[in-house]
């Protein structure tokens, strides 16, 4: 298995592509490209229809997948709000690639596992891993994720939502020989490949883990037998001044997603607090809740986001066997906007994991697993690390 990634900031699409294609060919050292991931900023939108033919000419026989994004990642660097085009290519001996494109009208109307398997046409016995690149303005991404989780519960799903387009049809997703204005581009990988996923949600807990003792839908009525708003009023004055300030604009709720009640650090699903009832002390949360789930209040800022990603990358590096290549799907709210400089997450990845070819883009939502299920996230950095399957 070989991977290579390249990034060009040239404004003319053909010139940017030629530079990036030449660089990934050098990185592959003569090995044929089986998969090419292309990510392009909106500056290249008018020429995006030509990308599939450019890939076929420069890297014949490779399967193209990709999309447009307001920020682009390639060769281990991040470019935001400027012209950019990245190519990440992989030579994948012994790996079977199954592409599929689905529009909203193609999605099954329920999470029936068999119907989703027939729609995607991927055999679960092959133990596939899924790469998903979807246009959020034209396809129901949560329904897509829920359906694939039902059909392929043992498979990882990783990816992101195209960004940069303000209206339906303004984004592009690439698959095979076409550039689509809608839908999801999916690739199932099976065979000689292992995909490790890292989802850094950028939050840290405050206070203690609690049990959701009374809830209905997405309304949290009681935690440990008390109104959650009462808990917050008690928690706030116990925190240092910096955390008290974060309470004003960066307070979230973490929800344990495992079936059993067992709290594990870093496996809480981060969700927004959407409202409160001052009379009852209830909170409205951006997730369906169930009695006896573990919940905990969380705070997010740049320092916490860095600490969270550092912890997860250290944990990955400690497992040994560095990856051959990687993809990064990062939120538009991260990058220089959060950290005050570009290349924060990519520099940290290089420092912790090594000089691994890394491409990707800044998303309108990130797809990745937490606690054994797949979710659509915000403000996260979701990594996919690719290795040959262990013998």
């Amino acid at each position: 298995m070989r991977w290579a990634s390249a990034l060009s900031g040239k404004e003319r699409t053909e010139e940017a592509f030629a530079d990036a294609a030449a660089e990934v060919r050098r990185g592959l050292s003569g090995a044929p490209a089986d998969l090419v991931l292309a990510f392009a900023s909106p500056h290249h939108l008018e020429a995006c229809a030509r990308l599939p033919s450019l890939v076929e000419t420069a890297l014949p026989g490779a399967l193209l997948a990709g999309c447009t994004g307001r920020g682009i990642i390639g060769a281990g660097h991040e470019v935001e709000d400027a012209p950019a085009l990245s190519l990440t290519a992989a030579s994948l001996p012994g790996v079977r690639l199954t592409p599929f494109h689905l529009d909203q009208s193609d999605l099954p109307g329920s999470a029936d596992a068999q119907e989703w398997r027939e729609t995607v046409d991927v055999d679960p016995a092959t133990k596939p891993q899924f790469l998903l690149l979807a246009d959020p303005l034209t396809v129901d991404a949560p329904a897509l994720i829920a359906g694939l989780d039902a059909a392929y519960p043992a498979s990882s799903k990783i990816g992101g939502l195209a960004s940069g387009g303000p209206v339906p049809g303004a984004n592009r997703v690439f698959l095979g020989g076409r550039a689509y204005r809608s839908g999801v581009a999916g690739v199932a990988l099976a065979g000689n490949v292992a995909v490790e996923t890292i989802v850094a949600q950028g939050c840290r807990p405050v206070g203690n883990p609690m049990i959701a003792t009374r809830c209905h839908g997405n309304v949290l009525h009681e935690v440990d037998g008390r109104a959650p708003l009462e808990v917050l009023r008690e928690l706030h004055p116990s925190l240092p001044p910096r955390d008290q300030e974060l309470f004003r604009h960066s307070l979230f709720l973490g929800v344990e997603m495992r079936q059993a009640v067992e709290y594990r650090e870093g496996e809480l699903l981060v969700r927004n607090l959407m409202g409160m009832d001052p009379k009852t002390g209830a909170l409205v949360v951006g997730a369906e809740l169930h009695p006896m789930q573990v919940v905990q209040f969380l705070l997010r800022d740049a320092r916490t986001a860095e600490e969270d990603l550092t912890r997860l990358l250290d944990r990955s590096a400690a497992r040994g066997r560095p990856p051959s290549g990687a993809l990064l799907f990062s939120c538009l709210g991260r990058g220089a906007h959060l950290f005050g400089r570009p290349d924060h997450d990519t520099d940290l990845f290089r420092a912790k994991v090594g000089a691994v070819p890394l491409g990707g883009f800044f998303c309108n939502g990130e797809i990745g697993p937490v606690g054994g299920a797949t979710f659509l996230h915000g403000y996260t950095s979701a990594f996919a690390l690719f290795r040959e399957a262990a013998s």
Side-chain angles (χ1 to χ4, degrees), residues 337-386:
H337 173 78
L338 179 64
F339 299 107
R341 67 173 183 87
D343 288 351
H344 176 275
D345 285 358
T346 51
D347 283 351
L348 192 55
F349 177 85
R350 186 181 302 107
K352 298 295 183 179
V353 180
V356 175
L358 174 66
F361 75 107
F362 285 86
C363 313
N364 228 342
E366 304 77 57
I367 298 169
V370 172
T374 312
F375 298 95
L376 184 63
H377 305 276
Y379 297 99
T380 66
S381 273
F383 290 82
L385 279 59
F386 297 87

Side-chain angles (χ1 to χ4, degrees), residues 35-37 39 63-67 96-103 106-107 116 119-122 128-135 139 144 148 152 156-160 173-178 180 182-190 327 329 367:
L35 177 65
V36 174
L37 289 309
F39 301 104
L63 171 65
L64 167 66
C67 66
R96 183 188 313 135
L97 302 174
T98 304
F100 56 92
H101 176 267
L102 302 175
D103 275 316
D106 300 319
L107 302 188
W116 275 93
T119 299
V120 176
D121 197 21
V122 174
Q129 312 299 322
F130 290 91
L131 173 64
L132 303 171
L133 304 167
D135 173 32
V139 71
L144 170 74
L148 291 177
Y152 305 93
S156 64
K157 298 96 184 170
I158 191 81
V173 292
F174 314 122
L175 190 68
R178 291 191 60 183
Y180 296 89
S182 63
V184 56
V187 179
L189 300 91
L327 295 172
F329 306 100
I367 298 169

Side-chain angles (χ1 to χ4, degrees), residues 42-99:
H43 308 81
H44 297 287
L45 190 64
E46 291 185 6
C48 276
R50 299 196 292 275
L51 266 181
S53 62
L54 291 172
V55 170
E56 178 57 33
T57 299
L59 299 159
L63 171 65
L64 167 66
C67 66
T68 50
R70 204 172 81 198
I72 303 300
I73 301 166
H77 293 287
E78 306 165 19
V79 176
E80 302 172 68
D81 299 316
L85 186 149
S86 78
L87 297 178
T88 302
S91 180
L92 302 169
V95 178
R96 183 188 313 135
L97 302 174
T98 304

Side-chain angles (χ1 to χ4, degrees), residues 55-307:
V55 170
E56 178 57 33
T57 299
L59 299 159
L63 171 65
L64 167 66
C67 66
T68 50
R70 204 172 81 198
I72 303 300
I73 301 166
H77 293 287
E78 306 165 19
V79 176
E80 302 172 68
D81 299 316
L85 186 149
S86 78
L87 297 178
T88 302
S91 180
L92 302 169
V95 178
R96 183 188 313 135
L97 302 174
T98 304
F100 56 92
H101 176 267
L102 302 175
D103 275 316
Q104 181 64 32
S105 59
D106 300 319
L107 302 188
S110 69
D112 179 75
Q114 185 58 38
E115 191 174 358
W116 275 93
R117 290 172 189 152
E118 292 172 357
T119 299
V120 176
D121 197 21
V122 174
D123 184 355
T126 63
K127 300 179 180 179
Q129 312 299 322
F130 290 91
L131 173 64
L132 303 171
L133 304 167
D135 173 32
L137 301 175
T138 60
V139 71
D140 185 345
L144 170 74
I145 293 166
L148 291 177
D149 259 9
Y152 305 93
S155 300
S156 64
K157 298 96 184 170
I158 191 81
L161 306 188
S163 61
V167 295
N171 293 315
R172 299 290 185 274
V173 292
F174 314 122
L175 190 68
R178 291 191 60 183
Y180 296 89
R181 293 174 177 264
S182 63
V184 56
V187 179
L189 300 91
N192 184 30
V193 61
V195 183
E196 177 189 358
T197 58
I198 297 173
V199 179
Q201 299 182 88
C203 284
R204 60 181 164 84
V206 290
N208 299 314
M210 302 166 290
I211 300 295
T213 46
R214 190 162 67 89
C215 56
H216 183 265
N218 67 335
V219 180
L220 181 61
H221 293 283
E222 286 184 0
V223 288
D224 291 347
R226 303 172 62 198
L229 196 54
E230 178 184 339
V231 174
L232 281 176
R233 287 177 178 142
E234 186 177 282
L235 176 62
H236 182 269
S238 72
L239 298 174
R242 176 173 170 267
D243 286 358
Q244 290 182 6
E245 177 61 28
L246 290 175
F247 247 61
R248 299 172 183 268
H249 51 78
S250 299
L251 180 66
F252 300 84
L253 187 74
V255 182
E256 175 64 54
M257 300 310 297
R258 292 182 177 271
Q259 295 300 312
V261 178
E262 54 170 329
Y263 172 75
R264 292 190 181 183
E265 183 183 7
E267 292 190 347
L268 294 174
L269 177 66
V270 177
R271 282 299 181 251
N272 289 323
L273 296 177
M274 303 169 66
M276 63 180 67
D277 185 340
K279 292 182 179 180
T280 65
L283 294 178
V284 182
V285 183
E288 285 287 313
L289 301 169
H290 304 284
M292 304 309 293
Q293 278 182 309
V294 175
V295 297
Q296 188 166 18
F297 292 113
L298 309 169
L299 296 176
R300 173 185 283 143
D301 64 355
R303 189 173 78 185
T304 295
E306 179 172 337
E307 291 169 353

